[in-house]
């Protein structure tokens, strides 16, 4: 496995810290890496996006994220502590303070680091933040039926399937279900003991 390390600049605050990872604010200098990851066909087929992104597109997206109102979006990059390596991103979005729910999304862009529990650790950190700091009572997500690894991760955290859009996305010549899942605050803390 080739290790691609990057150093976190001194002015780069750590947003949340886990046992093996940091969650750090997304910055414009991450655009090139995001563009590489999101243009990878295997990665984009697991996500809800299916278009080629130029570096300019990614810069524009990140600029929009960075300038967005914090009450609607919390985007962070996922960094390994050892070796210090940028491996993916996650975010809370569609944050509804009045009804106390939001959505969460995640991807591990670097395939070498998938399936090793880093995504689950990032999700737990961000979900804990959603419940304790943003006072959410429910976190929701969508996952494709052809991504069983992600679904197992979400179920282990405590997410429950609440429905699905059957044959909702046409990906690589096949119709795929879009599975809706949710996690209530009490269920999350009862499964994390």
């Amino acid at each position: 496995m080739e290790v691609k390390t990057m150093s976190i600049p001194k002015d780069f605050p750590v947003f949340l810290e886990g046992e093996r990872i940091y969650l750090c604010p997304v910055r414009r200098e991450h655009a090139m890496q995001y563009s590489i990851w999101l243009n990878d066909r295997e990665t984009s087929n697991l996500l809800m996006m299916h278009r080629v992104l130029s570096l300019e597109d990614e810069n524009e997206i990140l600029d929009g994220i960075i300038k967005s109102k914090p009450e609607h979006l919390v985007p962070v990059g996922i960094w390994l502590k050892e070796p210090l390596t940028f491996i993916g991103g996650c975010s809370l979005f569609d944050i509804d303070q009045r009804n106390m729910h939001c959505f969460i999304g995640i991807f591990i862009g670097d395939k070498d680091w998938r399936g090793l529990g880093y995504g689950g650790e990032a999700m737990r950190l961000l979900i804990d933040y959603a419940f304790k700091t943003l006072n959410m009572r429910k976190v929701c997500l969508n996952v494709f039926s052809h991504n069983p690894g992600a679904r197992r991760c979400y179920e282990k955290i405590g997410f429950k399937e609440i429905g699905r859009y059957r044959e909702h996305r046409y990906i690589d010549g096949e119709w795929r279900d879009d599975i809706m899942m949710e996690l209530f605050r009490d269920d999350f803390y009862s499964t994390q003991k």
Side-chain angles (χ1 to χ4, degrees), residues 155-158 160 183 186-193:
E155 288 170 343
K156 189 186 273 189
I157 290 169
K160 304 276 190 264
L183 173 63
D186 292 344
D187 294 337
F188 176 67
Y189 291 111
S190 69
T191 61
Q192 303 310 304
K193 295 177 181 177

Side-chain angles (χ1 to χ4, degrees), residues 1-179:
M1 173 183 326
E2 178 188 339
V3 176
K4 297 171 239 158
T5 61
M6 300 173 75
S7 61
I8 297 178
K10 288 184 178 26
D11 67 338
F12 196 87
V14 171
F15 176 62
L16 296 171
E17 182 175 352
E19 184 179 320
R20 302 179 302 156
I21 63 168
Y22 297 118
L23 298 184
C24 300
V26 174
R27 293 174 59 125
R28 200 168 200 271
E29 55 262 31
H30 298 138
M32 177 60 82
Q33 187 61 66
Y34 271 87
S35 179
I36 292 167
W37 287 335
L38 297 176
N39 282 313
D40 175 79
R41 187 179 173 114
E42 181 183 336
T43 300
S44 68
N45 279 347
L46 297 175
L47 302 173
M48 300 280 175
M49 55 175 293
H50 299 285
R51 68 182 180 119
V52 176
L53 290 173
S54 68
L55 180 56
E56 291 77 22
D57 292 335
E58 192 58 41
N59 276 325
E60 189 176 308
I61 291 167
L62 286 181
D63 283 346
I65 288 171
I66 291 164
K67 292 175 186 172
S68 70
K69 295 180 181 177
E71 66 268 19
H72 299 297
L73 183 67
V74 177
V76 290
I78 304 168
W79 292 72
L80 296 184
K81 287 183 173 183
E82 226 14 84
L84 189 59
T85 310
F86 183 40
I87 64 166
C90 56
S91 65
L92 297 173
F93 57 97
D94 293 342
I95 297 169
D96 184 337
Q97 293 287 351
R98 181 169 189 248
N99 295 300
M100 301 171 68
H101 61 77
C102 64
F103 280 79
I104 192 166
I106 186 169
F107 75 98
I108 302 297
D110 191 322
K111 296 174 197 175
D112 292 340
W113 302 106
R114 291 181 188 163
L116 301 173
Y118 298 113
E121 185 176 348
M123 292 278 288
R124 285 181 182 90
L125 285 170
L126 206 50
I127 290 167
D128 184 64
Y129 174 82
F131 290 143
K132 289 183 178 172
T133 304
L134 300 181
N135 197 31
M136 297 290 105
R137 69 183 267 280
K138 179 171 73 170
V139 176
C140 307
L141 62 79
N142 288 51
V143 62
F144 286 137
S145 57
H146 67 282
N147 194 351
R151 186 166 176 201
R152 280 191 302 275
C153 172
Y154 304 149
E155 288 170 343
K156 189 186 273 189
I157 290 169
F159 281 90
K160 304 276 190 264
E161 180 178 336
I162 58 166
R164 61 175 64 208
Y165 293 107
R166 292 179 28 226
E167 298 181 2
H168 195 64
R169 307 273 181 162
Y170 192 70
I171 301 170
D172 277 347
E174 292 184 43
W175 287 102
R176 311 291 185 151
D177 293 357
D178 187 352
I179 301 168

